[in-house]
Amino acid sequence: MNLSALTFKDFRIYICGNIFASNAVWMQRVTIGWIAWDLTSSASFVGMVAFVNFIPSLLAGPFFGVLVDRVRVKQAAIFTQFLSFMIAISFYAFFVLGILNELNLLFLTLCTGMVVSAHSPVRMSLGPRLVASTSVASVVTLGAINFNLARLTGPAIAGWIIAFYGIQASLFVQILCYPPFLLALSFLRPRRELALNARKEAFMKALTSGILYSFKNPLILKALLITALSSFLLRSVLEILPVIADGFFGRGATGLGLLTSSAGFGALLAGVVKAFSSSQPPGILPKYVPISIFFGFAFIPLIGLCGSWSLTLGFISYLGFAGTLSGISLQSAIQMELEDSLRGRVMSLWTMAAIGGTALGAVFLGGFTDYLGVVPALGLTGSLGCLLLVILLSIADN
């Protein structure tokens, strides 16, 4: 197994603390999605909440990437996680006070998205600095396993708590998940940067140099384009699960938790498969990446057509598998191309493609679902994904 990163003490501390924060993230996503659906019963509003959550990564992510290459990454991680902790407290307080309406939900979700857009390049810069350069791919794989294990457990826990104890209890448990990670971060001693070019350059010049480096590297550019397409038309389906779980199948909060956990199970399985596979060689994109994404697109229309809850759980699980298997491989390919001094800027572009694409896709799919209905919207999304992927690969390979 590709577990070499676990031989480093600081990474073990980091990954153990991150388990709690990752569960908080997924519990929060399910809870926010359920609140949005419970308030409005509107697929468009659920999509809008997802859009507001993710759009800061599309607009501000690259700027945060430049900052990450200029600051001490450990202190940056502590700061962003403390802000996440305070936002979790705010969600709880707004709900208890009875003022968590549509507008305030969008506001707090936007705050969450801003912090996530700042933390993503921090996270992708911190992990590789806790291990030797030969273990960077292992960091990506183990980070994905940890994140997707939480993707399996967090939604199930949140759905169960909401069903039996209410939304307030779910929001309170999320608050308790942040202090362990903050404590773990305080013990870390990441490797110092070997180059300080980003600090010497003017801000906009540093931003431009990171973008140009990414666009001039064929491997990184191809990985970014595939990530953007996959996020826009595949991962976005996972952002309207409240609509599928309750609006289409009438399964309520428990059904939403099960559906989200199914995606988490598939994602976790992808991480395990990646860990048991031989180490990904640098300089290439594995051939199974576009294949897994293509089948993911092909399965999307079947979610609406089959009409079976059990089959839908299976299809959603595969979407989680395909998105994560390709995501780990694409992120690993990019990370292995980078020096520490470029990680913040380049990986913020990957985050922009991954999260920003999901934000735009959620609005697109939510609107089409309200206008056309679930079945036609999913059919259009899957068909368009297959077509655009074939076109993209044809252009990239020529």
Side-chain angles (χ1 to χ4, degrees), residues 215-334:
F215 285 9
K216 289 179 180 179
N217 186 306
L219 177 67
I220 293 178
L221 179 58
K222 184 177 180 180
L224 290 175
L225 291 174
I226 293 176
T227 298
L229 178 61
S230 173
S231 299
F232 183 70
L233 292 175
L234 194 152
R235 290 179 180 269
S236 61
V237 175
L238 303 180
E239 299 305 321
I240 64 158
L241 291 185
V243 181
I244 297 173
D246 193 52
F248 193 63
F249 284 101
R251 296 275 178 160
T254 304
L256 174 59
L258 286 174
L259 209 55
T260 310
S261 291
S262 294
F265 174 77
L268 178 62
L269 181 61
V272 173
V273 168
K274 190 68 178 175
F276 274 98
S277 303
S278 57
S279 296
Q280 181 176 322
I284 65 167
L285 289 180
K287 294 181 179 179
Y288 56 75
V289 169
I291 295 174
S292 64
I293 294 174
F294 183 86
F295 277 105
F297 286 142
F299 284 159
I300 290 174
L302 299 180
I303 296 171
L305 291 173
C306 71
S308 166
W309 175 250
S310 298
L311 287 177
T312 296
L313 290 173
F315 291 138
I316 292 296
S317 182
Y318 181 79
L319 295 189
F321 176 87
T324 299
L325 183 65
S326 59
I328 295 173
S329 302
L330 293 165
Q331 188 188 148
S332 295
I334 297 174

Side-chain angles (χ1 to χ4, degrees), residues 133-285:
S133 58
T134 54
S135 295
V136 168
S138 178
V139 168
V140 176
T141 299
L142 290 170
I145 290 175
N146 177 64
F147 184 73
N148 288 303
L149 179 61
R151 189 177 181 178
L152 174 65
T153 58
I157 293 171
W160 180 78
I161 292 176
I162 292 171
F164 289 95
Y165 298 99
I167 294 171
Q168 181 176 331
S170 177
L171 293 172
F172 181 73
V173 171
Q174 292 161 37
I175 295 173
L176 301 179
C177 291
Y178 284 101
F181 190 37
L182 286 167
L183 180 63
L185 289 172
S186 67
F187 287 105
L188 302 183
R189 294 175 295 176
R191 180 175 65 249
R192 290 291 184 89
E193 299 87 346
L194 299 178
L196 301 177
N197 293 334
R199 294 181 184 178
K200 297 176 183 177
E201 293 176 315
F203 189 92
M204 294 307 298
K205 185 178 180 181
L207 174 63
T208 302
S209 65
I211 294 174
L212 290 177
Y213 179 86
S214 302
F215 285 9
K216 289 179 180 179
N217 186 306
L219 177 67
I220 293 178
L221 179 58
K222 184 177 180 180
L224 290 175
L225 291 174
I226 293 176
T227 298
L229 178 61
S230 173
S231 299
F232 183 70
L233 292 175
L234 194 152
R235 290 179 180 269
S236 61
V237 175
L238 303 180
E239 299 305 321
I240 64 158
L241 291 185
V243 181
I244 297 173
D246 193 52
F248 193 63
F249 284 101
R251 296 275 178 160
T254 304
L256 174 59
L258 286 174
L259 209 55
T260 310
S261 291
S262 294
F265 174 77
L268 178 62
L269 181 61
V272 173
V273 168
K274 190 68 178 175
F276 274 98
S277 303
S278 57
S279 296
Q280 181 176 322
I284 65 167
L285 289 180

Side-chain angles (χ1 to χ4, degrees), residues 8-25:
F8 297 87
K9 178 183 176 181
D10 278 10
F11 184 77
R12 293 197 300 271
I13 294 173
Y14 169 80
I15 205 75
C16 288
N18 190 245
I19 290 173
F20 294 92
S22 295
N23 270 284
V25 167

